Each structure stands twice: as structure tokens, then as C-alpha cells.
Amino acid sequence: MNNSNYFLGIMTAIVGLMMLLAAEPVVQVLVIVLGISAILDGGFMLAAVAPLCVERNFKIQCFVRGLAGIVVGLLCVVIPLRMAEFAWKTFVYIFAVYSIFAAICQIPITLTLRQEGFPVKRHVIEIVASLVLAIILFLLPGSAGFMIIRIGGAVLLLAGAAITFLAWKNRDIIADDAIVRDE
């Protein structure tokens, strides 16, 4: 085992501990990270998916979805950094609504890509993930959402401890300049 497994375990445990002890700031960071992902997804939609088909409606749907992702993403990144608690709670809901909108827009895009013969597995997964994310985001600002964050933190803390323990248990044993594998 190399040192990267120790690092992975320790970092996972630290993130889990942060989620347990400071759920509200974790949600604030989550909004910013989701905003960045929306910007990237919108850019991908405009740059990579829109050129795949020449049909006008397809291009309009890709443009609307891509532009909406970029705008909502920018708002999720910039405004919570400038405003107080109200802003991040508001943008949790805005991003949840955007996720539902993105899933609805993605359905005809996926159907068109399928008719054109392109693989659509990634797009179907994106639709399902957007809907699941929207449900989770609607729960986040309430007490149930903080409970979800804390449960996730406990799981990550335990996973980090397990990764670190397994890295330690499966380490190489060095004796007299020779590596002996413990099997």
C-alpha cells in the first residue's frame, strides 16, 4: 500500500467530521460546488452536445439548457459569496428547480440523440441524477436536510477510518532492506 491510501482515508474522515460538526457551512460550500458544476455542464451542453445534430429544435433546446445552466451556476457561485444566509438557502431552492428544469429539457435532447444513433446512457443517468438531486436539495435547508448531511458525514467519517485502517493493515513490512509482503 502506498501513502495515497492513508491520505485518502484521512481526508475522507476530515470531510465526514466537517459534515458532522458544521452542516450549515457544508451546505453553503455545496451550493457553490453545484454552481460550478452547472456552469461546466452548461458549457458542455453548448460546446459538445449542441453540434451533434443539425435539427433546429434540438439546437434551441441545447442552447436554452446550456445557457440556463451557466446563468444559474454563476448566480449560485457569486451571490452566496456576497450575501448572507438568505442567499444560500434561496439558491438551494433555485438550483433544485433548475435540476428539475434540466431533467425535463434533457428528455427530448436524449430522444433526439437516440434517434440519431448516439449513445444515450450518460444522458439518461443525468436525467435521473438531476431529479434525485432536486429532491435532496428541496430537503436541505430544513432540519431533515441537515440530518442528511450529518448522516453522510458519519458515513464518510467511518469510511475514512476504514480506509486508513486497511492501508495500515496492508502496509509493506520492511526488514533489513528487504520488503516482505504480509499475506
Side-chain angles (χ1 to χ4, degrees):
M1 281 274 175
N2 56 22
N3 289 335
S4 64
N5 290 331
Y6 288 113
F7 181 73
L8 175 66
I10 291 169
M11 291 308 294
T12 303
I14 289 172
V15 169
L17 189 59
M18 287 177 14
M19 289 172 70
L20 275 172
L21 300 178
E24 194 167 325
V26 168
V27 173
Q28 291 171 346
V29 170
L30 178 67
V31 169
I32 293 169
V33 169
L34 288 174
I36 292 169
S37 71
I39 292 168
L40 295 174
D41 185 56
F44 176 77
M45 185 62 62
L46 292 175
V49 178
L52 292 177
C53 184
V54 294
E55 185 180 311
R56 185 173 184 264
N57 287 337
F58 178 81
K59 289 200 179 287
I60 290 172
Q61 291 165 346
C62 288
F63 179 75
V64 168
R65 185 172 178 304
L67 192 60
I70 292 171
V71 169
V72 169
L74 285 173
L75 290 174
C76 287
V77 170
V78 173
I79 291 181
L81 293 175
R82 303 258 185 237
M83 300 176 89
E85 180 181 335
F86 171 76
W88 72 263
K89 283 186 178 179
T90 302
F91 280 101
V92 166
Y93 290 125
I94 288 174
F95 198 84
V97 170
Y98 162 73
S99 293
I100 292 171
F101 171 75
I104 291 170
C105 285
Q106 189 69 28
I107 292 171
I109 292 170
T110 304
L111 292 174
T112 303
L113 288 174
R114 184 171 176 234
Q115 289 173 352
E116 295 288 325
F118 291 102
V120 295
K121 182 179 179 183
R122 175 201 174 278
H123 299 285
V124 171
I125 291 171
E126 187 175 340
I127 292 168
V128 173
S130 292
L131 293 174
V132 170
L133 178 65
I135 292 168
I136 291 171
L137 288 175
F138 277 122
L139 295 175
L140 273 182
S143 61
F146 288 118
M147 183 60 69
I148 291 170
I149 293 291
R150 287 189 176 101
I151 289 170
V155 168
L156 284 178
L157 182 62
L158 293 173
I163 291 168
T164 304
F165 174 75
L166 290 173
W168 173 78
K169 186 176 183 284
N170 295 327
R171 71 191 183 284
D172 293 334
I173 300 171
I174 300 174
D176 295 329
D177 294 333
I179 297 177
V180 179
R181 303 242 183 243
D182 185 23
E183 296 181 33

